[in-house]
Amino acid sequence: MTGNTHVVVIGGGYAGVMAANRLTLRNDVTVTLINPRPDLVHRVRLHQLVGGSHDAVVAYQDVLAERVRLVVDTVTRIDAAARSVTLAADATLDYDYLIYAVGSGSAEPSVPGAAEFAYPIATLEEAQRLRAVLDATPATAPVTVVGAGPTGIETAAELAEQGRRVTLVCGGVLGPYLHTRGRRSVAKRLAKLSVTVIDGSDAKVTAVTRDAVRLADGRELPSEVTVWTVGFGVPDLAARSGLSTDAVGRLLTDETLTSVDDARILAAGDSAAPSGLPLRMSCLNASPLGARAADTVLSRLAGEQPENLHQSMYAQCISLGRSAGIYQFANRSDVAVWLHIDDGLGARIKEMVCKGIPKHLAGEAHKPGSFSLHRMPGGVAKRRQLLRAHRAEAPAAADRAA
């Protein structure tokens, strides 16, 4: 390809910003980043926004390369045949390459009353709305957090540390990803914060009302504010645009993160499904996937064969208020192992991770190509093998004795 190349990146989260910055490695590439907000949402701090200890945003001027053009708008349609995107403002942008990094949000709740009376926190606006509700609610009022994954655990701990009366409804086990030892550590910390944890097979929510949460075993928990952290979904932009997606709506790609429909479209972050085997939705994967998508474009522009995905998993980090946390190690199958770091050191590691994300993005902005990617040999065959191992090991790992 000769002349200037225009790359449009849809989505200004961790993956999108990393991809946009990395693309500036070539002077003959023009990059446009399209995002509905004028700032980067620091998503791993949204629970802190809810708790009142952080605003969970980072100015783009601090993390985005000067050569990247920021367009604050929403893409309503991708026209792959015309190589263009349509914006909500009724404008159209043409592209030579497109990186689809729209991220994820809250899954549509299927439990009766949840959509009307519960508060999700997967987006900045949702977290801000919940913060305003909590500010208007007495500190003694009961708060119920539904969902005991990282978001639910972090939110419950954050609010309890602020003096709130918090109940965490697990819908099963506390922290399903965690090793038994890590789970015990988290339970101990939550107990210290006076969080009531309801787990087990009967700890499933069957209905949410304005002032209560009903469980499968017939119990009704009083709840002035109900926080909903159950599951994530992805925007339907790819599906609406006629592109191939998985059942959840993530863009289907090959191992170079290239769309199975169009060699000029790539995906990164939570909205990508390489070979139909999406990586765990996490900040840990977002930036590397953004860098990998950019590298694919750069390789094609250089007339080189793009590398396959070599991303591996190794940990999950959860904050438990401002003074404690847990860093749970995992094997390459993304199954938690016995090793973890908790308490005060765990909190410091979590804070280091939170500070490190914008630092890595800023580093790539100032020196494109400097962000290093994790390496896992074997390509798609190896990833399929690891995924099978994960599916086989995960149930056993959840019950494994210390």
Tab-separated table of all heavy atoms in Angstrom, residues 196-256:
chain	number	residue	atom	x	y	z
A	196	THR	N	-22.118	-9.105	55.092
A	196	THR	CA	-22.829	-10.377	55.189
A	196	THR	C	-22.755	-11.068	53.840
A	196	THR	O	-23.235	-10.537	52.833
A	196	THR	CB	-24.305	-10.157	55.573
A	196	THR	OG1	-24.373	-9.502	56.837
A	196	THR	CG2	-25.056	-11.482	55.642
A	197	VAL	N	-22.140	-12.235	53.793
A	197	VAL	CA	-21.990	-12.986	52.548
A	197	VAL	C	-22.991	-14.127	52.518
A	197	VAL	O	-23.020	-14.963	53.423
A	197	VAL	CB	-20.548	-13.530	52.399
A	197	VAL	CG1	-20.437	-14.393	51.139
A	197	VAL	CG2	-19.549	-12.378	52.361
A	198	ILE	N	-23.802	-14.160	51.478
A	198	ILE	CA	-24.787	-15.225	51.304
A	198	ILE	C	-24.384	-16.031	50.075
A	198	ILE	O	-24.434	-15.537	48.944
A	198	ILE	CB	-26.209	-14.667	51.143
A	198	ILE	CG1	-26.606	-13.867	52.389
A	198	ILE	CG2	-27.200	-15.786	50.878
A	198	ILE	CD1	-27.976	-13.241	52.302
A	199	ASP	N	-23.937	-17.264	50.301
A	199	ASP	CA	-23.507	-18.100	49.190
A	199	ASP	C	-24.229	-19.435	49.239
A	199	ASP	O	-25.114	-19.653	50.063
A	199	ASP	CB	-21.990	-18.286	49.214
A	199	ASP	CG	-21.495	-18.900	50.518
A	199	ASP	OD1	-22.340	-19.278	51.361
A	199	ASP	OD2	-20.265	-19.010	50.704
A	200	GLY	N	-23.862	-20.328	48.338
A	200	GLY	CA	-24.508	-21.633	48.276
A	200	GLY	C	-25.511	-21.721	47.140
A	200	GLY	O	-25.820	-20.737	46.463
A	201	SER	N	-26.024	-22.921	46.935
A	201	SER	CA	-26.916	-23.168	45.796
A	201	SER	C	-28.233	-22.399	45.883
A	201	SER	O	-28.885	-22.166	44.861
A	201	SER	CB	-27.218	-24.666	45.690
A	201	SER	OG	-27.813	-25.143	46.899
A	202	ASP	N	-28.645	-22.031	47.097
A	202	ASP	CA	-29.902	-21.287	47.247
A	202	ASP	C	-29.699	-19.776	47.193
A	202	ASP	O	-30.663	-19.020	47.302
A	202	ASP	CB	-30.573	-21.641	48.583
A	202	ASP	CG	-31.088	-23.065	48.605
A	202	ASP	OD1	-31.475	-23.568	47.526
A	202	ASP	OD2	-31.090	-23.683	49.686
A	203	ALA	N	-28.445	-19.331	47.021
A	203	ALA	CA	-28.160	-17.902	47.040
A	203	ALA	C	-28.294	-17.293	45.650
A	203	ALA	O	-27.446	-16.541	45.180
A	203	ALA	CB	-26.761	-17.655	47.586
A	204	LYS	N	-29.381	-17.626	44.988
A	204	LYS	CA	-29.673	-17.066	43.670
A	204	LYS	C	-30.850	-16.111	43.787
A	204	LYS	O	-31.847	-16.410	44.451
A	204	LYS	CB	-29.987	-18.170	42.654
A	204	LYS	CG	-28.803	-19.098	42.379
A	204	LYS	CD	-29.135	-20.078	41.277
A	204	LYS	CE	-27.973	-21.047	41.035
A	204	LYS	NZ	-26.750	-20.357	40.626
A	205	VAL	N	-30.720	-14.968	43.151
A	205	VAL	CA	-31.775	-13.967	43.205
A	205	VAL	C	-32.860	-14.319	42.197
A	205	VAL	O	-32.574	-14.568	41.016
A	205	VAL	CB	-31.202	-12.568	42.905
A	205	VAL	CG1	-32.319	-11.536	42.853
A	205	VAL	CG2	-30.180	-12.175	43.963
A	206	THR	N	-34.102	-14.347	42.664
A	206	THR	CA	-35.227	-14.658	41.783
A	206	THR	C	-36.056	-13.436	41.445
A	206	THR	O	-36.813	-13.453	40.473
A	206	THR	CB	-36.152	-15.706	42.431
A	206	THR	OG1	-36.597	-15.219	43.706
A	206	THR	CG2	-35.399	-17.027	42.623
A	207	ALA	N	-35.914	-12.363	42.241
A	207	ALA	CA	-36.665	-11.136	41.953
A	207	ALA	C	-36.047	-9.977	42.729
A	207	ALA	O	-35.462	-10.163	43.799
A	207	ALA	CB	-38.139	-11.285	42.315
A	208	VAL	N	-36.178	-8.796	42.160
A	208	VAL	CA	-35.746	-7.566	42.829
A	208	VAL	C	-36.932	-6.612	42.863
A	208	VAL	O	-37.602	-6.407	41.851
A	208	VAL	CB	-34.570	-6.896	42.080
A	208	VAL	CG1	-34.155	-5.594	42.776
A	208	VAL	CG2	-33.378	-7.835	41.979
A	209	THR	N	-37.197	-6.060	44.042
A	209	THR	CA	-38.246	-5.061	44.172
A	209	THR	C	-37.614	-3.733	44.593
A	209	THR	O	-36.402	-3.637	44.738
A	209	THR	CB	-39.296	-5.486	45.207
A	209	THR	OG1	-38.686	-5.534	46.511
A	209	THR	CG2	-39.864	-6.865	44.881
A	210	ARG	N	-38.427	-2.748	44.780
A	210	ARG	CA	-37.919	-1.429	45.141
A	210	ARG	C	-37.147	-1.446	46.456
A	210	ARG	O	-36.182	-0.700	46.643
A	210	ARG	CB	-39.071	-0.430	45.225
A	210	ARG	CG	-38.631	1.034	45.343
A	210	ARG	CD	-39.836	1.951	45.396
A	210	ARG	NE	-40.661	1.778	44.217
A	210	ARG	CZ	-40.440	2.382	43.046
A	210	ARG	NH1	-39.378	3.168	42.913
A	210	ARG	NH2	-41.245	2.193	42.019
A	211	ASP	N	-37.548	-2.336	47.379
A	211	ASP	CA	-36.916	-2.325	48.695
A	211	ASP	C	-36.519	-3.710	49.208
A	211	ASP	O	-36.330	-3.915	50.397
A	211	ASP	CB	-37.845	-1.663	49.717
A	211	ASP	CG	-39.221	-2.324	49.765
A	211	ASP	OD1	-39.403	-3.375	49.127
A	211	ASP	OD2	-40.099	-1.772	50.447
A	212	ALA	N	-36.355	-4.687	48.282
A	212	ALA	CA	-35.983	-6.028	48.730
A	212	ALA	C	-35.384	-6.845	47.591
A	212	ALA	O	-35.549	-6.526	46.415
A	212	ALA	CB	-37.199	-6.762	49.298
A	213	VAL	N	-34.684	-7.909	48.003
A	213	VAL	CA	-34.144	-8.887	47.060
A	213	VAL	C	-34.634	-10.252	47.500
A	213	VAL	O	-34.472	-10.626	48.664
A	213	VAL	CB	-32.598	-8.863	47.048
A	213	VAL	CG1	-32.050	-10.037	46.252
A	213	VAL	CG2	-32.082	-7.550	46.476
A	214	ARG	N	-35.256	-10.998	46.594
A	214	ARG	CA	-35.790	-12.317	46.920
A	214	ARG	C	-34.861	-13.402	46.403
A	214	ARG	O	-34.360	-13.347	45.281
A	214	ARG	CB	-37.179	-12.498	46.299
A	214	ARG	CG	-38.218	-11.564	46.893
A	214	ARG	CD	-39.531	-11.617	46.152
A	214	ARG	NE	-40.462	-10.604	46.631
A	214	ARG	CZ	-41.500	-10.151	45.926
A	214	ARG	NH1	-41.745	-10.639	44.720
A	214	ARG	NH2	-42.296	-9.221	46.428
A	215	LEU	N	-34.664	-14.436	47.255
A	215	LEU	CA	-33.767	-15.530	46.913
A	215	LEU	C	-34.535	-16.797	46.575
A	215	LEU	O	-35.718	-16.931	46.887
A	215	LEU	CB	-32.805	-15.796	48.073
A	215	LEU	CG	-31.962	-14.614	48.546
A	215	LEU	CD1	-31.011	-15.064	49.651
A	215	LEU	CD2	-31.192	-13.995	47.387
A	216	ALA	N	-33.829	-17.747	45.967
A	216	ALA	CA	-34.452	-18.985	45.513
A	216	ALA	C	-35.033	-19.798	46.652
A	216	ALA	O	-35.991	-20.554	46.465
A	216	ALA	CB	-33.433	-19.821	44.742
A	217	ASP	N	-34.462	-19.668	47.867
A	217	ASP	CA	-34.963	-20.449	48.990
A	217	ASP	C	-36.116	-19.771	49.721
A	217	ASP	O	-36.546	-20.227	50.782
A	217	ASP	CB	-33.837	-20.752	49.970
A	217	ASP	CG	-33.220	-19.495	50.570
A	217	ASP	OD1	-33.703	-18.382	50.260
A	217	ASP	OD2	-32.239	-19.612	51.331
A	218	GLY	N	-36.621	-18.661	49.160
A	218	GLY	CA	-37.763	-17.980	49.746
A	218	GLY	C	-37.424	-16.802	50.630
A	218	GLY	O	-38.308	-16.037	51.017
A	219	ARG	N	-36.145	-16.654	50.970
A	219	ARG	CA	-35.765	-15.514	51.805
A	219	ARG	C	-35.967	-14.198	51.067
A	219	ARG	O	-35.827	-14.133	49.846
A	219	ARG	CB	-34.302	-15.640	52.233
A	219	ARG	CG	-34.047	-16.594	53.366
A	219	ARG	CD	-32.564	-16.663	53.693
A	219	ARG	NE	-31.801	-17.336	52.652
A	219	ARG	CZ	-30.485	-17.475	52.670
A	219	ARG	NH1	-29.786	-16.948	53.673
A	219	ARG	NH2	-29.863	-18.115	51.708
A	220	GLU	N	-36.270	-13.170	51.834
A	220	GLU	CA	-36.401	-11.829	51.272
A	220	GLU	C	-35.492	-10.895	52.062
A	220	GLU	O	-35.674	-10.717	53.268
A	220	GLU	CB	-37.853	-11.360	51.314
A	220	GLU	CG	-38.059	-10.042	50.580
A	220	GLU	CD	-39.528	-9.742	50.308
A	220	GLU	OE1	-40.154	-10.503	49.533
A	220	GLU	OE2	-40.033	-8.746	50.872
A	221	LEU	N	-34.509	-10.332	51.388
A	221	LEU	CA	-33.548	-9.453	52.043
A	221	LEU	C	-33.949	-8.000	51.859
A	221	LEU	O	-34.144	-7.550	50.722
A	221	LEU	CB	-32.149	-9.659	51.435
A	221	LEU	CG	-31.630	-11.084	51.322
A	221	LEU	CD1	-30.290	-11.096	50.595
A	221	LEU	CD2	-31.507	-11.718	52.699
A	222	PRO	N	-34.104	-7.250	52.943
A	222	PRO	CA	-34.384	-5.827	52.788
A	222	PRO	C	-33.223	-5.137	52.100
A	222	PRO	O	-32.060	-5.399	52.408
A	222	PRO	CB	-34.558	-5.336	54.230
A	222	PRO	CG	-33.841	-6.337	55.070
A	222	PRO	CD	-33.965	-7.644	54.362
A	223	SER	N	-33.520	-4.285	51.131
A	223	SER	CA	-32.456	-3.631	50.364
A	223	SER	C	-32.922	-2.262	49.888
A	223	SER	O	-33.761	-2.151	48.997
A	223	SER	CB	-32.053	-4.499	49.162
A	223	SER	OG	-30.995	-3.913	48.461
A	224	GLU	N	-32.369	-1.237	50.498
A	224	GLU	CA	-32.693	0.127	50.079
A	224	GLU	C	-32.051	0.439	48.728
A	224	GLU	O	-32.633	1.119	47.889
A	224	GLU	CB	-32.189	1.116	51.131
A	224	GLU	CG	-32.655	2.536	50.924
A	224	GLU	CD	-34.106	2.732	51.347
A	224	GLU	OE1	-34.661	1.863	52.059
A	224	GLU	OE2	-34.698	3.754	50.951
A	225	VAL	N	-30.828	-0.083	48.539
A	225	VAL	CA	-30.118	0.075	47.263
A	225	VAL	C	-29.579	-1.290	46.853
A	225	VAL	O	-28.857	-1.930	47.619
A	225	VAL	CB	-28.953	1.083	47.373
A	225	VAL	CG1	-28.224	1.198	46.035
A	225	VAL	CG2	-29.443	2.450	47.835
A	226	THR	N	-29.923	-1.745	45.646
A	226	THR	CA	-29.452	-3.025	45.137
A	226	THR	C	-28.495	-2.776	43.980
A	226	THR	O	-28.848	-2.124	42.998
A	226	THR	CB	-30.616	-3.907	44.662
A	226	THR	OG1	-31.505	-4.148	45.757
A	226	THR	CG2	-30.113	-5.237	44.127
A	227	VAL	N	-27.273	-3.295	44.118
A	227	VAL	CA	-26.239	-3.122	43.104
A	227	VAL	C	-26.132	-4.422	42.302
A	227	VAL	O	-26.005	-5.498	42.881
A	227	VAL	CB	-24.885	-2.784	43.749
A	227	VAL	CG1	-23.838	-2.510	42.670
A	227	VAL	CG2	-25.015	-1.595	44.698
A	228	TRP	N	-26.172	-4.305	40.969
A	228	TRP	CA	-26.206	-5.490	40.101
A	228	TRP	C	-24.882	-5.626	39.364
A	228	TRP	O	-24.521	-4.795	38.539
A	228	TRP	CB	-27.349	-5.358	39.105
A	228	TRP	CG	-27.733	-6.650	38.447
A	228	TRP	CD1	-27.350	-7.114	37.223
A	228	TRP	CD2	-28.588	-7.658	39.000
A	228	TRP	NE1	-27.903	-8.337	36.969
A	228	TRP	CE2	-28.674	-8.698	38.043
A	228	TRP	CE3	-29.288	-7.773	40.199
A	228	TRP	CZ2	-29.435	-9.843	38.257
A	228	TRP	CZ3	-30.047	-8.924	40.413
A	228	TRP	CH2	-30.115	-9.943	39.445
A	229	THR	N	-24.132	-6.689	39.664
A	229	THR	CA	-22.827	-6.894	39.036
A	229	THR	C	-22.755	-8.251	38.344
A	229	THR	O	-21.674	-8.835	38.226
A	229	THR	CB	-21.696	-6.782	40.079
A	229	THR	OG1	-21.737	-7.913	40.953
A	229	THR	CG2	-21.818	-5.510	40.896
A	230	VAL	N	-23.881	-8.739	37.885
A	230	VAL	CA	-23.965	-10.091	37.311
A	230	VAL	C	-23.738	-10.039	35.806
A	230	VAL	O	-24.608	-9.619	35.050
A	230	VAL	CB	-25.330	-10.738	37.613
A	230	VAL	CG1	-25.380	-12.152	37.052
A	230	VAL	CG2	-25.603	-10.737	39.106
A	231	GLY	N	-22.579	-10.444	35.371
A	231	GLY	CA	-22.325	-10.647	33.953
A	231	GLY	C	-22.047	-9.389	33.146
A	231	GLY	O	-22.388	-8.269	33.545
A	232	PHE	N	-21.419	-9.598	31.999
A	232	PHE	CA	-21.108	-8.525	31.064
A	232	PHE	C	-21.661	-8.866	29.686
A	232	PHE	O	-21.756	-10.031	29.309
A	232	PHE	CB	-19.598	-8.300	30.956
A	232	PHE	CG	-18.991	-7.693	32.183
A	232	PHE	CD1	-18.325	-8.481	33.100
A	232	PHE	CD2	-19.089	-6.336	32.424
A	232	PHE	CE1	-17.766	-7.931	34.241
A	232	PHE	CE2	-18.538	-5.770	33.559
A	232	PHE	CZ	-17.872	-6.565	34.462
A	233	GLY	N	-21.999	-7.837	28.937
A	233	GLY	CA	-22.404	-7.999	27.550
A	233	GLY	C	-21.558	-7.072	26.695
A	233	GLY	O	-20.825	-6.231	27.210
A	234	VAL	N	-21.648	-7.224	25.383
A	234	VAL	CA	-20.906	-6.352	24.479
A	234	VAL	C	-21.890	-5.607	23.580
A	234	VAL	O	-23.006	-6.089	23.337
A	234	VAL	CB	-19.905	-7.150	23.619
A	234	VAL	CG1	-18.860	-7.834	24.493
A	234	VAL	CG2	-20.615	-8.170	22.747
A	235	PRO	N	-21.508	-4.439	23.079
A	235	PRO	CA	-22.387	-3.708	22.157
A	235	PRO	C	-22.702	-4.544	20.922
A	235	PRO	O	-21.908	-5.410	20.521
A	235	PRO	CB	-21.551	-2.469	21.793
A	235	PRO	CG	-20.624	-2.285	22.943
A	235	PRO	CD	-20.285	-3.680	23.407
A	236	ASP	N	-23.847	-4.273	20.322
A	236	ASP	CA	-24.281	-5.066	19.166
A	236	ASP	C	-23.899	-4.427	17.835
A	236	ASP	O	-24.431	-4.792	16.790
A	236	ASP	CB	-25.791	-5.290	19.222
A	236	ASP	CG	-26.598	-3.994	19.108
A	236	ASP	OD1	-25.992	-2.902	19.151
A	236	ASP	OD2	-27.833	-4.079	18.982
A	237	LEU	N	-22.959	-3.475	17.842
A	237	LEU	CA	-22.587	-2.763	16.624
A	237	LEU	C	-22.123	-3.699	15.519
A	237	LEU	O	-22.528	-3.563	14.355
A	237	LEU	CB	-21.493	-1.733	16.941
A	237	LEU	CG	-20.901	-0.984	15.748
A	237	LEU	CD1	-21.973	-0.178	15.016
A	237	LEU	CD2	-19.754	-0.091	16.201
A	238	ALA	N	-21.263	-4.660	15.849
A	238	ALA	CA	-20.761	-5.583	14.823
A	238	ALA	C	-21.898	-6.393	14.207
A	238	ALA	O	-21.992	-6.521	12.981
A	238	ALA	CB	-19.707	-6.507	15.433
A	239	ALA	N	-22.764	-6.939	15.057
A	239	ALA	CA	-23.881	-7.740	14.557
A	239	ALA	C	-24.827	-6.889	13.711
A	239	ALA	O	-25.288	-7.320	12.643
A	239	ALA	CB	-24.629	-8.372	15.724
A	240	ARG	N	-25.115	-5.680	14.179
A	240	ARG	CA	-26.002	-4.783	13.416
A	240	ARG	C	-25.408	-4.383	12.075
A	240	ARG	O	-26.130	-4.033	11.146
A	240	ARG	CB	-26.303	-3.519	14.229
A	240	ARG	CG	-27.320	-3.713	15.344
A	240	ARG	CD	-27.763	-2.394	15.947
A	240	ARG	NE	-26.726	-1.765	16.755
A	240	ARG	CZ	-26.049	-0.683	16.415
A	240	ARG	NH1	-26.263	-0.097	15.246
A	240	ARG	NH2	-25.135	-0.167	17.231
A	241	SER	N	-24.074	-4.439	12.007
A	241	SER	CA	-23.398	-4.060	10.771
A	241	SER	C	-23.182	-5.244	9.832
A	241	SER	O	-22.529	-5.108	8.794
A	241	SER	CB	-22.048	-3.421	11.108
A	241	SER	OG	-22.226	-2.248	11.896
A	242	GLY	N	-23.721	-6.397	10.194
A	242	GLY	CA	-23.643	-7.566	9.327
A	242	GLY	C	-22.350	-8.335	9.417
A	242	GLY	O	-22.060	-9.179	8.557
A	243	LEU	N	-21.561	-8.097	10.468
A	243	LEU	CA	-20.302	-8.818	10.645
A	243	LEU	C	-20.524	-10.063	11.499
A	243	LEU	O	-21.433	-10.099	12.335
A	243	LEU	CB	-19.264	-7.909	11.299
A	243	LEU	CG	-18.878	-6.660	10.490
A	243	LEU	CD1	-18.051	-5.702	11.339
A	243	LEU	CD2	-18.117	-7.065	9.231
A	244	SER	N	-19.689	-11.046	11.316
A	244	SER	CA	-19.838	-12.308	12.052
A	244	SER	C	-19.410	-12.127	13.502
A	244	SER	O	-18.342	-11.572	13.785
A	244	SER	CB	-18.985	-13.407	11.410
A	244	SER	OG	-19.431	-13.677	10.101
A	245	THR	N	-20.241	-12.622	14.411
A	245	THR	CA	-19.967	-12.519	15.843
A	245	THR	C	-20.189	-13.874	16.507
A	245	THR	O	-20.808	-14.770	15.930
A	245	THR	CB	-20.875	-11.477	16.517
A	245	THR	OG1	-22.244	-11.929	16.461
A	245	THR	CG2	-20.769	-10.117	15.844
A	246	ASP	N	-19.710	-13.986	17.755
A	246	ASP	CA	-20.044	-15.171	18.534
A	246	ASP	C	-21.412	-14.982	19.154
A	246	ASP	O	-22.099	-13.978	18.904
A	246	ASP	CB	-18.963	-15.485	19.569
A	246	ASP	CG	-18.865	-14.440	20.677
A	246	ASP	OD1	-19.673	-13.487	20.715
A	246	ASP	OD2	-17.953	-14.580	21.526
A	247	ALA	N	-21.839	-15.929	19.982
A	247	ALA	CA	-23.190	-15.882	20.547
A	247	ALA	C	-23.409	-14.662	21.429
A	247	ALA	O	-24.531	-14.171	21.565
A	247	ALA	CB	-23.463	-17.164	21.339
A	248	VAL	N	-22.331	-14.146	22.036
A	248	VAL	CA	-22.441	-12.987	22.920
A	248	VAL	C	-22.460	-11.684	22.129
A	248	VAL	O	-23.003	-10.682	22.588
A	248	VAL	CB	-21.277	-12.988	23.938
A	248	VAL	CG1	-21.282	-11.748	24.809
A	248	VAL	CG2	-21.352	-14.238	24.810
A	249	GLY	N	-21.882	-11.691	20.929
A	249	GLY	CA	-21.818	-10.494	20.105
A	249	GLY	C	-20.422	-9.985	19.842
A	249	GLY	O	-20.236	-8.945	19.206
A	250	ARG	N	-19.403	-10.728	20.327
A	250	ARG	CA	-18.020	-10.335	20.060
A	250	ARG	C	-17.663	-10.620	18.605
A	250	ARG	O	-18.102	-11.623	18.038
A	250	ARG	CB	-17.066	-11.092	20.989
A	250	ARG	CG	-17.153	-10.658	22.438
A	250	ARG	CD	-16.399	-11.591	23.360
A	250	ARG	NE	-17.099	-12.861	23.505
A	250	ARG	CZ	-17.203	-13.531	24.648
A	250	ARG	NH1	-16.631	-13.073	25.749
A	250	ARG	NH2	-17.845	-14.675	24.699
A	251	LEU	N	-16.853	-9.745	18.010
A	251	LEU	CA	-16.466	-9.901	16.613
A	251	LEU	C	-15.581	-11.122	16.451
A	251	LEU	O	-14.562	-11.274	17.134
A	251	LEU	CB	-15.728	-8.651	16.136
A	251	LEU	CG	-15.368	-8.610	14.653
A	251	LEU	CD1	-16.623	-8.456	13.803
A	251	LEU	CD2	-14.399	-7.473	14.372
A	252	LEU	N	-15.950	-12.006	15.530
A	252	LEU	CA	-15.169	-13.211	15.267
A	252	LEU	C	-13.953	-12.861	14.423
A	252	LEU	O	-14.065	-12.220	13.378
A	252	LEU	CB	-16.015	-14.253	14.539
A	252	LEU	CG	-17.057	-15.004	15.376
A	252	LEU	CD1	-17.891	-15.912	14.480
A	252	LEU	CD2	-16.384	-15.822	16.471
A	253	THR	N	-12.775	-13.305	14.882
A	253	THR	CA	-11.537	-13.040	14.167
A	253	THR	C	-10.706	-14.316	14.060
A	253	THR	O	-11.011	-15.330	14.692
A	253	THR	CB	-10.676	-11.978	14.895
A	253	THR	OG1	-10.064	-12.569	16.050
A	253	THR	CG2	-11.516	-10.773	15.313
A	254	ASP	N	-9.620	-14.223	13.290
A	254	ASP	CA	-8.631	-15.289	13.309
A	254	ASP	C	-7.611	-14.984	14.394
A	254	ASP	O	-7.814	-14.080	15.221
A	254	ASP	CB	-7.983	-15.452	11.931
A	254	ASP	CG	-7.187	-14.216	11.489
A	254	ASP	OD1	-6.914	-13.332	12.331
A	254	ASP	OD2	-6.845	-14.133	10.297
A	255	GLU	N	-6.497	-15.707	14.390
A	255	GLU	CA	-5.509	-15.538	15.456
A	255	GLU	C	-4.647	-14.285	15.298
A	255	GLU	O	-3.841	-13.979	16.168
A	255	GLU	CB	-4.628	-16.782	15.546
A	255	GLU	CG	-5.335	-17.979	16.165
A	255	GLU	CD	-5.724	-17.746	17.618
A	255	GLU	OE1	-4.832	-17.589	18.459
A	255	GLU	OE2	-6.939	-17.732	17.893
A	256	THR	N	-4.811	-13.562	14.186
A	256	THR	CA	-4.141	-12.270	14.049
A	256	THR	C	-5.071	-11.134	14.446
A	256	THR	O	-4.738	-9.964	14.268
A	256	THR	CB	-3.642	-12.042	12.609
A	256	THR	OG1	-4.760	-11.837	11.741
A	256	THR	CG2	-2.811	-13.220	12.126
